[in-house]
Amino acid sequence: ASVVETDAGLTNMVFDLSISEASLMFVSVAFQTVDGTATNGLDYIGTNGIVTLFPGVTNQTVSVAVIGDAILEPNETFFLQLTNATASSALDAEGIGTIVDDEPRIQVEMLSVAEGNAGLHDVILNVTLSKPGLLDIGVEYATTNLSARAGSDYTATSGVLSFAAGLTNKIITVQANGDLFFENDEAFGIRLFNATNAAIATNLTLVTLTNDDAAPQLSIVDGAGIEGDTGTNTVAITVNLDVPSGLLAAVDFTTGVGTASVDVDYQATSGTLIFQPGTTSRTVAIKVRGDTIHEQDEFFTFTLSSPRNAEILDGDGQGQITNDDSAPAISIADLSITEGDLGLQSAVLTLVLSSSSGLTITLDHATSDLSPMAGAATAGGDYVAIVNQPISIPPGSTTVIVPITINGD
């Protein structure tokens, strides 16, 4: 059995005595109280006697008077012992009576509050007593680091609270330090100690500073690089966070085919970028393959995915492989042919590129007479004129044949 003692007077603690089944006979048992941590005469009034259960009755009670006081003390106990049972056997011959101390208990409320974005702001903590005290009550308090750190997240605070008799509320003010870092919620503790005329309900109370900053955003800065003539060069792709973070952030990346071909123009690459707290930029060097072929600038794609502790604002970028090879020069090999006596015959001129190209080369060609001079050939009489006819040289080719028709005479 148990009972709250109160501040004064007597309060009955009631023990319930029972037998497992009704009897056809009178059942009696002797009882007496015995001190435990409670003291007869100070905490309770000891008693003894005999309890009799009439035939058919299975329950009876024994009351013990508990003495109230205004003394701060632990809960206390005494025993009710049973002996000399008749017509029954006492299976549980001892009961424990608990006197619950009801003196004031001091408690700090648990609190969660937004950390704020800048500067110091007050966090107000309510400190309450479970009941008014008959005497003045005092208690010391101090903040303590948990995941939050004094100096950076909050201002360390300590002091003494005094409750005049009859008062039940006080406050503790702690200053929290706002910031713009995306981070986990953080907590510090309020410790209570050295209480007078009251008990401490909880020695350590948590105060949580909740993060109110959005996750940083990721974006790509496109890169470009010269391909070179041999071996490999690199194209640098940069990934930025818009603001520093208080947490480690990460994001996966991979390259993809654009106009550039994998393993021909660049090396496929994928991986994970890690941003340590406070870091806002990471760079990936993508290898590109050199060649001596004149071609257009080419690009590959660069894509972000699966961000952790960050969000993707711009996750699609590209790397440009800049052509650094000159367009090939075109030359014509001179031709000498016997005209013949009559009719038409074909001659062949060869156009030669100084090097192969990765692009289709197109141009127009035309014949023209030399300036009037002795022995100069003339269109219509000596050869068939060609007027602005197109020529196409496919990628990789270095020569093309141009037919010329000659008139014999």
Side-chain angles (χ1 to χ4, degrees):
S2 66
V3 71
V4 177
E5 66 177 2
T6 73
D7 290 336
L10 300 177
T11 303
N12 281 332
M13 183 184 297
V14 179
F15 290 86
D16 184 58
L17 307 183
S18 63
I19 57 177
S20 58
E21 58 184 39
S23 173
L24 299 177
M25 304 172 61
F26 285 91
V27 176
S28 63
V29 63
F31 66 87
Q32 65 174 353
T33 54
V34 177
D35 286 354
T37 56
T39 302
N40 180 17
L42 293 177
D43 303 305
Y44 71 100
I45 299 174
T47 184
N48 61 73
I50 295 176
V51 173
T52 299
L53 281 72
F54 287 83
V57 176
T58 59
N59 290 84
Q60 187 61 278
T61 60
V62 173
S63 295
V64 179
V66 173
I67 302 170
D69 62 42
I71 300 172
L72 179 63
E73 57 193 346
N75 294 341
E76 298 172 310
T77 59
F78 63 90
F79 302 99
L80 183 71
Q81 294 180 343
L82 305 180
T83 58
N84 300 326
T86 63
S88 178
S89 60
L91 296 180
D92 182 2
E94 184 175 82
I96 299 175
T98 301
I99 303 171
V100 179
D101 185 65
D102 71 337
E103 304 317 316
R105 280 172 164 70
I106 309 171
Q107 174 113 19
V108 181
E109 69 168 337
M110 292 183 65
L111 184 66
S112 293
V113 62
E115 65 178 359
N117 291 328
L120 298 173
H121 62 94
D122 290 343
V123 177
I124 307 299
L125 302 169
N126 289 316
V127 185
T128 58
L129 297 179
S130 59
K131 58 179 283 188
L134 300 178
L135 302 172
D136 290 347
I137 292 171
V139 66
E140 295 182 53
Y141 67 88
T143 54
T144 185
N145 288 343
L146 297 173
S147 55
R149 291 292 181 264
S152 59
D153 300 308
Y154 71 98
T155 301
T157 307
S158 62
V160 178
L161 295 178
S162 297
F163 296 81
L167 296 182
T168 58
N169 289 87
K170 288 287 181 177
I171 63 170
I172 295 173
T173 301
V174 181
Q175 289 192 312
N177 191 16
D179 62 43
L180 294 173
F181 287 111
F182 178 70
E183 56 194 342
N184 292 322
D185 294 345
E186 299 172 313
F188 61 89
I190 299 289
R191 289 193 305 113
L192 298 180
F193 53 97
N194 293 340
T196 56
N197 298 322
I200 295 173
T202 304
N203 290 327
L204 183 67
T205 300
L206 298 184
V207 180
T208 301
L209 303 176
T210 58
N211 172 67
D212 58 356
D213 300 300
Q217 295 186 314
L218 294 154
S219 59
I220 299 172
V221 178
D222 292 342
I226 301 297
E227 65 179 358
D229 292 335
T230 59
T232 58
N233 287 321
T234 58
V235 172
I237 306 290
T238 300
V239 180
N240 291 330
L241 288 177
D242 62 340
V243 293
S245 175
L247 300 177
L248 184 146
V251 67
D252 296 338
F253 69 88
T254 186
T255 55
V257 174
T259 56
S261 299
V262 68
D263 293 334
V264 175
D265 301 305
Y266 74 99
Q267 180 176 313
T269 307
S270 62
T272 300
L273 293 176
I274 303 295
F275 294 79
Q276 296 294 333
T279 300
T280 59
S281 184
R282 292 297 310 275
T283 299
V284 182
I286 308 299
K287 290 183 178 181
V288 297
R289 302 182 185 277
D291 61 41
T292 56
I293 299 174
H294 176 67
E295 55 196 342
Q296 292 179 337
D297 295 341
E298 299 169 311
F299 73 90
F300 56 86
T301 63
F302 188 90
T303 305
L304 301 179
S305 62
S306 303
R308 280 85 82 190
N309 292 327
E311 297 175 352
I312 295 176
L313 175 65
D314 176 12
D316 295 309
Q318 68 180 36
Q320 177 179 293
I321 305 172
T322 304
N323 172 68
D324 61 348
D325 299 301
S326 300
I330 302 175
S331 60
I332 303 174
D334 292 340
L335 173 66
S336 177
I337 186 172
T338 302
E339 65 178 1
D341 293 334
L342 53 87
L344 302 176
Q345 61 176 317
S346 293
V348 175
L349 288 173
T350 302
L351 275 61
V352 179
L353 296 181
S354 59
S355 63
S356 62
S357 174
L359 304 175
T360 298
I361 297 174
T362 59
L363 68 157
D364 292 337
H365 71 290
T367 57
S368 65
D369 295 348
L370 295 177
S371 299
M373 58 179 290
T378 58
D382 300 305
Y383 66 93
V384 177
I386 300 174
V387 180
N388 294 333
Q389 295 297 310
I391 296 175
S392 178
I393 305 175
S397 296
T398 56
T399 59
V400 65
I401 301 301
V402 178
I404 303 293
T405 302
I406 305 299
N407 292 324
D409 61 37

